[in-house]
Amino acid sequence: IDGQLDEAVYREIPPITDFIQQEPDEGEPVTEKTEAWILFDDENIYLVCRCWHSNPDAIVANDMRRDSPNLNTHDSFGVQLDPYHDGRSAFFFYMSPAGGIRDAAVVESRPNNDWDTIWAARATRFDQGWIAEIAIPFKSLRYGPGREQTWGIQVRRLIRSKNERVHLTRLSAAWAQGAWNRMAFAATLVGLEVPPGSRNLEIKPYGISSLSTDTQSVPAVNNEFSPDVGLDLKYGLTKGLTADFTYNTDFAQVEADEAQVNLTRFSLSFPEKRSFFLEGSGVFTFGAVTGTGRGTGEAPVIFYSRSIGLSGGRTVPVRAGGRLTGRAGAWSLGALDIQVGDDSLEKAVPTHFSVLRVRRNILRRSAVGAIFTRRSESTVGPGANLVWGLDANLSFYQHVNFGGYLAQSRTESLDGDTRSYRGQFSYDADRYGVQFDRLVVGEDFNPEVGFMRRENFRRNYAELRFSPRPASNPLVRKWTYQAQLDYITDNDNRLESRDARGELGALFHSGDSITLQAARIHEFLPRTFAIEGVSIPSGGHSFSTAVASYTAGQHHRVSGTTSVEAGGFYGGTRRTVSFSGRIEVSSRIGIEPNLSQNWIDLPEGQFTTTLVGARTTMTMTPRMFVAALVQYTSGSSSFSSNVRFRWEYQPGSELFVVYTEGRSTLPVRGTELLNRGVVVKITRLFRF
């Protein structure tokens, strides 16, 4: 695997060349010559592409770090493999001309980008384009029994300078970036012969040493040295089912959470970053996930992995656990069992977490399923907390989707309405879009292994969209006109929130876009609500706001989204300016700033919120990088830094060096140290 196509096979075997545009001209041939090969031997499947380009200087490849999300928007070559050929699940692998690589597992068209496996890849340039050469061991994949196999396959090339996406098969432009996750519309790979089954056993021990200071703990810790060891084990029970076990699990290498500004009365959720919980997480997804309209985050999350091993923003030790995930015929299975320890500062007691998820494929692209969760120690009273539920996702034709769920919780101290249910309909064609959503959460519905942003409410949501593509406009590729109404009451039908919005958007041929949005909002506060020390009185509040945003595409040296918002806010005014994006220094160095400033003027008082953060990444090789995340938030009056060095010194084995520090920015405390830590962690993968 050297990125040099000088072997005889590339001269003897004719390449695949009939690629089809998804964007900008759906159904038309690719505009740049693209040659791909699919080869195999007794150990690997090989996926190779020679990507010609009429203007090689226009190739965009600004990030070479493994698993960087920026690879989604650079020039790239990728392959999706569906070993079960069911059109529902897949493994995808892709790379950029800079050598950056990314892999993911797809479940029901939803990618888990944090899934990692062992594979080899190399990219090189030639005077008329670039070459990608990928080798994936069969041992890194899961598939059904039998030597002769038929798989689903999709191949994609992204030509960023033209904002052009092409695939093996015709895909709707309406599906945008996620189109190639729809494996029901992929091609079929025949003639493949796989090796006989092996033990598929992976053992991954780790050793760690840390030096930490924490002035907030009781008692305070000063330069405490803590060496430790632990173990992860993975075993393939069958070609479709994998068992994972973990002992004394440690997540010290995980990057710190990115700060958020919260101007609502509801809790914020943060993404999971711990590898043990990320791998196979798609199996545990519950509830309808159709459409992408505003407010989809209002629905309860029945299983939210951050409820395990984290309390009040602090880590709680994970003593041991096990997980079973995978496929058995038409069934998808997921089981999780975790034991966590205690934490005196957060008053967390030893707790046992259990999750069971099953899903059955029906029809061509539909599924029904069930979930059960248990937390041995409830957070609101004595005894355990239980939740069970049923869900369905039904897809017809290319763009029609129905979905919903019914769930119920049981907590000894709660005896009111403990149910929640949801029903959704969406039609998501390229030119037209319609979505309706009905969601109900009972007053005592309590998923403690999950996450609920809002309690005790009924929600009705409607969205209409018209997205024409002008035939001869030299600038605009697609217009979007959209109207949304979000109407939320409590369970006695008293209005709590009403949000009516209109939106105009333009996507340019360059990949840049602009969006203008106006909203009329009503919020009823049942009690006094405090933000930044200013108390907003209870009662009804109606106000209007307008937002303008511009997104610069990845082909720019400075890319990202700039937004400006102005309007009313609970009887006063609010002005907001924000930017989130990337500054390209070179293909090895990038800066990703995140800036937000809010100026709030209320009858009860004035205040300003500030969020300033930046992640700077220097990549030495696709498998070695150092990243520094520094953040300041006025809400927490703190400045934090997190510096991580990661080196995958051999496939699956890694060395981490992590430095973290938090300091107060309160005037009375100066820059007092809150916490500091240095961690060195090494893992070693043994594969049998």
Side-chain angles (χ1 to χ4, degrees):
I1 304 303
D2 55 7
Q4 303 296 326
L5 307 188
D6 50 10
E7 291 87 357
V9 66
Y10 298 112
R11 298 187 297 272
E12 297 169 357
I13 303 299
I16 302 165
T17 58
D18 299 328
F19 288 87
I20 303 169
Q21 289 188 50
Q22 179 204 0
E23 289 270 11
D25 300 314
E26 181 184 331
E28 295 298 313
V30 60
T31 62
E32 299 284 359
K33 183 178 178 181
T34 304
E35 300 174 309
W37 288 265
I38 304 167
L39 313 166
F40 70 93
D41 57 24
D42 288 337
E43 296 182 356
N44 305 306
I45 181 169
Y46 302 90
L47 308 150
V48 182
C49 185
R50 180 155 48 205
C51 303
W52 301 76
H53 203 296
S54 56
N55 182 15
D57 292 337
I59 293 174
V60 179
N62 303 330
D63 195 343
M64 63 187 299
R65 173 167 50 103
R66 177 170 185 175
D67 291 333
S68 170
N70 298 315
L71 300 185
N72 288 333
T73 51
H74 293 178
D75 276 77
S76 61
F77 163 72
V79 178
Q80 292 247 34
L81 298 173
D82 176 7
Y84 294 100
H85 199 213
D86 60 3
R88 303 166 183 270
S89 59
F91 304 99
F92 79 60
F93 306 84
Y94 63 90
M95 71 180 312
S96 75
I101 60 175
R102 196 173 192 190
D103 46 15
V106 178
V107 179
E108 299 296 336
S109 300
R110 295 186 295 271
N112 172 12
N113 292 310
D114 296 283
W115 176 84
D116 286 323
T117 193
I118 294 175
W119 53 297
R122 182 75 183 271
T124 57
R125 299 282 191 105
F126 65 101
D127 58 358
Q128 297 181 70
W130 64 284
I131 292 169
E133 194 173 18
I134 295 171
I136 305 167
F138 286 108
K139 188 177 288 190
S140 294
L141 303 172
R142 298 289 179 263
Y143 46 85
R147 180 164 176 80
E148 295 185 1
Q149 301 260 324
T150 298
W151 291 7
I153 188 168
Q154 186 62 274
V155 178
R156 180 182 76 175
R157 181 185 176 189
L158 180 60
I159 307 170
R160 175 48 63 196
S161 61
K162 298 182 176 183
N163 202 22
E164 180 177 335
R165 282 193 296 268
V166 301
H167 301 85
L168 275 178
T169 61
R170 180 168 180 168
L171 299 177
S172 171
W175 298 335
Q177 182 75 17
W180 80 318
N181 295 327
R182 304 196 180 213
M183 294 303 292
F185 303 95
T188 301
L189 177 65
V190 298
L192 181 66
E193 297 178 1
V194 301
S198 63
R199 286 178 291 178
N200 281 334
L201 174 64
E202 296 181 1
I203 301 175
K204 195 172 187 177
Y206 79 83
I208 186 171
S209 292
S210 64
L211 190 67
S212 59
T213 296
D214 190 343
T215 63
Q216 307 301 297
S217 65
V218 181
V221 173
N222 184 33
N223 291 331
E224 181 178 75
F225 178 67
S226 301
D228 209 348
V229 295
L231 178 72
D232 291 330
L233 185 148
K234 184 187 298 290
Y235 182 68
L237 298 176
T238 69
K239 280 296 184 183
L241 289 173
T242 302
D244 294 89
F245 303 94
T246 182
Y247 170 72
N248 199 24
T249 315
D250 179 85
F251 304 109
Q253 76 277 13
V254 175
E255 183 184 58
D257 287 322
E258 294 186 28
Q260 302 181 44
V261 175
N262 189 5
L263 297 178
T264 75
R265 64 187 192 275
F266 306 109
S267 300
L268 295 175
S269 65
F270 290 83
E272 180 62 86
K273 296 186 177 184
R274 299 169 296 175
S275 57
F276 180 81
F277 294 106
L278 287 168
E279 185 174 351
S281 60
V283 175
F284 295 96
T285 303
F286 175 84
V289 193
T290 57
T292 57
R294 178 181 175 82
T296 53
E298 298 287 359
V301 179
I302 303 303
F303 173 50
Y304 180 56
S305 58
R306 284 179 64 105
S307 64
I308 303 174
L310 292 170
S311 178
R314 293 175 55 87
T315 60
V316 180
V318 175
R319 301 302 186 196
R323 178 183 59 207
L324 176 68
T325 56
R327 300 284 304 275
W331 294 89
S332 296
L333 306 174
L336 182 73
D337 194 76
I338 299 288
Q339 176 68 46
V340 304
D342 56 2
D343 184 273
S344 58
L345 185 62
E346 293 298 329
K347 299 181 180 179
V349 299
T351 307
H352 199 82
F353 294 85
S354 301
V355 183
L356 177 63
R357 173 71 162 135
V358 295
R359 183 167 53 223
R360 166 78 183 190
N361 295 336
I362 61 173
L363 306 177
R364 186 186 178 195
R365 294 188 296 120
S366 303
V368 295
I371 196 170
F372 171 81
T373 70
R374 181 180 185 272
R375 180 181 178 130
S376 64
E377 301 291 335
S378 172
T379 61
V380 299
N385 171 260
L386 308 176
V387 177
W388 52 88
L390 303 172
D391 70 332
N393 284 278
L394 309 175
S395 298
F396 304 98
Y397 307 103
Q398 289 192 21
H399 305 290
V400 178
N401 303 282
F402 294 89
Y405 74 79
L406 172 65
Q408 185 171 20
S409 66
R410 190 182 77 181
T411 312
E412 287 187 18
S413 58
L414 302 176
D415 56 5
D417 184 357
T418 58
R419 296 171 300 168
S420 175
Y421 60 87
R422 185 182 194 182
Q424 283 184 294
F425 165 79
S426 72
Y427 175 76
D428 61 349
D430 184 46
R431 190 173 179 86
Y432 301 100
V434 179
Q435 183 178 338
F436 299 105
D437 191 349
R438 167 72 170 176
L439 172 64
V440 176
V441 175
E443 60 180 333
D444 282 337
F445 181 67
N446 180 38
E448 293 190 29
V449 189
F451 174 81
M452 263 200 325
R453 180 174 181 268
R454 191 170 193 150
E455 301 176 352
N456 186 26
F457 70 95
R458 300 179 183 180
R459 175 177 182 261
N460 294 284
Y461 176 82
E463 175 185 305
L464 301 175
R465 175 180 55 80
F466 175 51
S467 304
R469 293 177 179 265
S472 56
N473 193 309
L475 295 177
V476 178
R477 176 174 295 183
K478 184 177 182 179
W479 295 100
T480 296
Y481 306 91
Q482 191 163 275
Q484 304 164 342
L485 176 62
D486 203 353
Y487 192 89
I488 299 175
T489 70
D490 65 15
N491 278 292
D492 293 323
N493 284 325
R494 288 189 294 265
L495 178 63
E496 288 194 347
S497 301
R498 183 182 61 238
D499 189 330
R501 291 179 180 261
E503 181 179 305
L504 168 64
L507 173 64
F508 301 105
H509 290 292
S510 65
D512 298 352
S513 64
I514 189 169
T515 301
L516 304 175
Q517 192 177 88
R520 180 65 180 171
I521 299 169
H522 176 84
E523 288 285 345
F524 175 78
L525 303 181
R527 61 187 65 86
T528 300
F529 165 45
I531 309 178
E532 295 286 331
V534 177
S535 295
I536 301 174
S538 60
H541 301 265
S542 296
F543 49 92
S544 300
T545 186
V547 184
S549 62
Y550 172 77
T551 300
Q554 289 284 333
H555 58 287
H556 298 292
R557 185 169 290 274
V558 179
S559 59
T561 300
T562 303
S563 296
V564 178
E565 180 174 357
F569 188 74
Y570 293 102
T573 61
R574 171 187 175 185
R575 292 172 296 152
T576 302
V577 176
S578 65
F579 173 77
S580 178
R582 175 179 171 84
I583 301 171
E584 176 200 343
V585 180
S586 71
S587 63
R588 296 179 182 273
I589 301 176
I591 303 173
E592 300 173 10
N594 181 21
L595 313 172
S596 176
Q597 184 88 15
N598 288 275
W599 295 271
I600 311 294
D601 188 354
L602 300 173
E604 297 76 22
Q606 299 177 342
F607 62 90
T608 300
T609 70
T610 303
L611 186 156
V612 180
R615 178 189 293 103
T616 302
T617 304
M618 183 174 71
T619 307
M620 288 70 85
T621 73
R623 298 178 188 269
M624 179 193 293
F625 71 88
V626 60
L629 175 64
V630 295
Q631 303 180 102
Y632 164 76
T633 56
S634 58
S636 62
S637 299
S638 65
F639 176 85
S640 65
S641 57
N642 177 253
V643 182
R644 301 166 57 243
F645 169 78
R646 175 188 176 186
W647 176 31
E648 190 175 0
Y649 59 91
Q650 69 177 43
S653 301
E654 298 167 307
L655 170 67
F656 297 94
V657 182
V658 183
Y659 174 82
T660 59
E661 182 177 295
R663 288 185 175 272
S664 170
T665 59
L666 290 172
V668 297
R669 302 177 67 175
T671 56
E672 178 185 353
L673 179 68
L674 301 177
N675 57 73
R676 176 188 291 153
V678 179
V679 173
V680 178
K681 179 177 180 179
I682 188 166
T683 68
R684 178 68 165 89
L685 177 65
F686 298 93
R687 208 175 202 205
F688 303 97

